[in-house]
Amino acid sequence: MLFIVQFVDHPLRQALRQSQMAAHLLWLKTHEERVLQAGSLRERVDEPAKGGLWIVEAADKEAVLSLLKTDPFWIHGLRASVEVLHWSKAFEDRKVLI
């Protein structure tokens, strides 16, 4: 199953984001078979990130929640909230590289 995971970060923890970025990127690389895409969300390209968005492949929502709780950003308290939604692709057979 595919899931969309949307995070909102604590707005006053940009220093924490920077200090954990290398560990977070390594974690994403280690879990690339399940976290298919990941990136930050910003109001404007030149502003600090407000959160993030992932596309995750997992058996169920509980597996997604278990996985994200091992991410350094989660462990160190950057994330203020998370929403995990089932994602039904409109064109199931369409595969595109982003």
Side-chain angles (χ1 to χ4, degrees), residues 5-7 27 31 34-35 54 56 61-75 79 81-84:
V5 182
Q6 185 171 353
F7 300 97
W27 183 92
H31 294 90
R34 294 195 292 176
V35 182
W54 297 352
V56 176
K61 186 174 181 175
E62 290 73 26
V64 176
L65 291 169
S66 292
L67 176 67
L68 72 86
K69 290 177 182 176
T70 66
D71 174 16
F73 277 0
W74 186 273
I75 292 168
R79 306 304 195 184
S81 66
V82 62
E83 184 175 27
V84 178

Side-chain angles (χ1 to χ4, degrees), residues 39-56:
S40 61
L41 297 172
R42 305 163 193 278
E43 296 233 0
R44 293 177 34 155
V45 72
D46 59 343
E47 293 182 348
K50 292 185 168 251
L53 181 86
W54 297 352
I55 299 174
V56 176

Side-chain angles (χ1 to χ4, degrees), residues 30 45-46 65 85 88 92:
T30 302
V45 72
D46 59 343
L65 291 169
L85 301 170
S88 300
E92 192 62 37

